Amino acid sequence: MAVAAQTDLLDKHADTLLELSHVLAAAGEVSEANSAATQALNLYQRKGNLPGARESLRYLAQSAHT
């Protein structure tokens, strides 16, 4: 992720963060998972990637209800 953060590949960085959020949630690290998903959402929004932003919001909404 450190390499992705240094590039303009915001979508790839956001994709990685969103995947990380799923892994962290499966490991019981809910707070860290939500943080990664929120970071992904911010990057998707900066890039104007609406589908990615919606996916992040869906994840965060589901996480809030579990």
Side-chain angles (χ1 to χ4, degrees):
M1 260 189 320
V3 173
Q6 297 173 9
T7 71
D8 63 348
L9 300 173
L10 297 180
D11 284 330
K12 294 296 182 191
H13 189 186
D15 292 344
T16 302
L17 285 165
L18 193 55
E19 288 299 319
L20 176 61
S21 69
H22 292 287
V23 172
L24 290 169
E29 302 292 335
V30 176
S31 177
E32 291 84 354
N34 288 341
S35 176
T38 300
Q39 290 176 50
L41 173 61
N42 291 334
L43 290 174
Y44 285 133
Q45 288 175 327
R46 281 180 47 200
K47 185 69 175 181
N49 182 332
L50 296 180
R54 280 192 294 270
E55 185 177 348
S56 297
L57 286 170
R58 218 174 4 258
Y59 172 85
L60 289 165
Q62 289 174 347
S63 175
H65 291 97
T66 57

